[in-house]
């Protein structure tokens, strides 16, 4: 769901994170951030706390809270929601925007997850 589709109230997107990759410590002044880990193992820093997350874990990051993460040795998939919408623009600049019709970038044609 894009910010345009939600009237600017939120954006939800699936993120594919390569091994060893993640954003440096940063914070959002206006947006709340939530991540649901679909696959992979990541190390998150939220404020003063550092913790490991895996498939099935949920992370909520309040606005104005320093945070960042690094992915482990395997590709990770995250369901990310930002409220209000807006940060999706930086994701589109930093990565590749895949349409719902496009395959998982780590799945060979015909291979199922």
């Amino acid at each position: 769901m894009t910010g345009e589709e939600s009237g600017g109230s939120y954006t939800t997107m699936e993120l594919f994170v390569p091994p060893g990759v993640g954003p440096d410590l940063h914070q959002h002044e206006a947006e709340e951030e939530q991540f649901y880990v679909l696959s992979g193992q990541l190390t998150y820093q939220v404020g003063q706390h550092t913790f490991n997350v895996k498939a099935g874990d949920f992370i909520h990051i309040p606005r104005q809270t320093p945070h960042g993460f690094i992915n482990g040795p395997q590709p990770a998939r995250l369901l990310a929601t930002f409220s209000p919408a807006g940060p999706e623009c930086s994701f589109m600049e930093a990565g590749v925007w895949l349409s719902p019709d496009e395959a998982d970038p780590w799945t060979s044609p015909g291979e199922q997850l």
Side-chain angles (χ1 to χ4, degrees), residues 34-99:
Q34 299 176 359
F35 295 97
Y36 180 75
V37 182
L38 298 168
S39 65
Q41 297 179 343
L42 305 99
T43 301
Y44 268 80
Q45 180 178 347
V46 179
Q48 300 295 323
H49 305 283
T50 300
F51 49 94
N52 296 316
V53 298
K54 61 185 180 335
D57 289 339
F58 179 84
I59 303 101
H60 174 80
I61 302 167
R63 64 187 54 140
Q64 301 178 356
T65 302
H67 63 282
F69 66 82
I70 189 78
N71 189 20
Q74 301 297 319
R77 291 174 46 230
L78 306 170
L79 188 60
T81 299
F82 304 91
S83 179
E88 69 272 18
C89 297
S90 62
F91 282 91
M92 291 172 68
E93 291 172 9
V96 176
W97 188 266
L98 299 176
S99 75

